[in-house]
Amino acid sequence: MTVDERLRLALQEDVGSGDVTTSATVPEDRVGQARAVLREPCVLSGLEVFERVFNLVDRALEIQSPYRDGNQADAQAVVAVVRGRLASILTGERTALNLLQRLCGIATLTHRLVQAVAGTPCRILDTRKTTPLWRDLEKKAVHHGGGKNHRFGLFDGILIKDNHVAAAGGVRAAIQRARQAAPHTLRVEVEVDSLEQLQEALDARADVIMLDNFSVDQVRRGVELAAGRALLEVSGGVTLETVRAYAETGVDFISVGALTHSAPAIDISLEVSA
């Protein structure tokens, strides 16, 4: 499903059979403009989607922005201006803002985590904990914030989780079966929840090992145990307050589900004038 198809469904959800408030209060031919104003500093993401929503409502609307996705902007910055029929602007307002606020929130939280680990070789990754049908936009927002994308879906990367391990009969068995079945171009990653499982994964020659819900001290011992034989990823419960300590252990990656499932939306208002 294309972005436009999803945006049309989002507009249909909000508008339904018609915007009754706007139809009742705003003359059809009245024109003006609306300014998208930040109420807090952020990293921008979703400007192209913001523009596209208004274009789908009314192709005659003109949208301009002095910014690009990935730029940083301060509070009170006017990040976009929409000009044309005010009725069209009001009809598209909520859908356009919802997406812009959400994507800016993801980019901003990602940027804060990336800055928190600056100076270490550790990279911040996203996860598949995304809003259904909006994964591509949310992962793009992570990229705009300076983070890296983990696998997009189940089809483009092998990640053996704890339930796979249980179903396969253990860490070693799961890795061996993955090696036999997987294309040679795909790395085999496995999730472990103890140092004992880490040793088992190392012995089975996993390419990447995810240390799930390890403490900082446990991660440090895991790095020593691995001794460079596999890439190590930390996942589970990492926050802005703890991410630096995890990065300084020497792990290669830290994946943070909160980037896409808990990032607070950025406060942005649309100020309309006739």
Side-chain angles (χ1 to χ4, degrees):
M1 186 181 294
T2 67
V3 172
D4 274 7
E5 288 171 335
R6 284 173 281 160
L7 293 178
R8 287 190 180 95
L9 288 174
L11 285 165
Q12 183 180 347
E13 176 186 52
D14 196 34
V15 179
S17 59
D19 180 356
V20 294
T21 305
T22 298
S23 296
T25 59
V26 180
E28 184 71 17
D29 59 351
R30 181 158 296 176
V31 297
Q33 70 173 24
R35 302 158 67 244
V37 182
L38 293 183
R39 298 307 181 196
E40 57 183 310
C42 76
V43 176
L44 294 166
S45 183
L47 287 170
E48 293 180 2
V49 177
F50 179 84
E51 177 178 351
R52 192 61 191 146
V53 169
F54 285 113
N55 286 155
L56 289 173
V57 172
D58 184 344
R59 285 182 294 179
L61 292 177
E62 296 180 2
I63 302 93
Q64 294 179 324
S65 174
Y67 296 93
R68 298 180 64 181
D69 287 334
N71 290 166
Q72 298 183 50
D74 295 326
Q76 302 309 313
V78 178
V79 297
V81 177
V82 187
R83 295 184 176 89
R85 292 177 57 252
L86 290 178
S88 298
I89 293 173
L90 291 168
T91 295
E93 173 185 3
R94 187 71 269 151
T95 301
L97 277 181
N98 283 351
L99 288 164
L100 183 62
Q101 290 175 299
R102 166 98 178 124
L103 296 173
C104 286
I106 292 171
T108 301
L109 178 57
T110 302
H111 177 73
R112 289 172 182 163
L113 284 158
V114 169
Q115 289 299 105
V117 304
T120 76
C122 184
R123 287 169 283 178
I124 300 297
L125 305 180
D126 56 20
T127 70
R128 286 167 46 244
K129 296 176 182 177
T130 55
T131 307
L133 298 181
W134 296 106
R135 181 171 293 173
D136 55 342
L137 297 181
E138 292 181 351
K139 281 183 170 284
K140 188 175 290 185
V142 168
H143 175 74
H144 291 149
K148 304 296 182 183
N149 297 142
H150 210 299
R151 59 178 181 162
F152 187 86
L154 296 173
F155 57 89
D156 65 341
I158 295 174
L159 175 46
I160 303 168
K161 303 284 283 183
D162 54 350
N163 285 333
H164 295 104
V165 169
V171 170
R172 183 185 296 274
I175 293 173
Q176 289 175 342
R177 291 177 66 87
R179 286 273 184 225
Q180 292 168 0
H184 72 280
T185 54
L186 290 183
R187 293 190 301 191
V188 174
E189 180 172 2
V190 63
E191 175 187 280
V192 301
D193 57 20
S194 68
L195 291 173
E196 291 73 24
Q197 283 194 334
L198 170 58
Q199 184 62 64
E200 190 177 355
L202 289 167
D203 292 342
R205 300 179 64 185
D207 298 307
V208 187
I209 303 172
M210 178 189 290
L211 310 179
D212 184 47
N213 285 298
F214 278 42
S215 68
V216 172
D217 286 340
Q218 287 174 319
V219 171
R220 192 174 291 112
R221 292 200 296 272
V223 171
E224 294 172 355
L225 184 63
R229 288 179 287 168
L231 296 172
L232 296 183
E233 175 184 339
V234 167
S235 185
V238 178
T239 66
L240 192 57
E241 291 71 32
T242 63
V243 69
R244 179 79 190 188
Y246 278 107
E248 289 177 343
T249 63
V251 293
D252 301 282
F253 312 107
I254 298 175
S255 56
V256 184
L259 294 180
T260 50
H261 71 58
S262 296
I266 297 299
D267 188 0
I268 306 173
S269 65
L270 197 69
E271 300 177 350
V272 172
S273 57

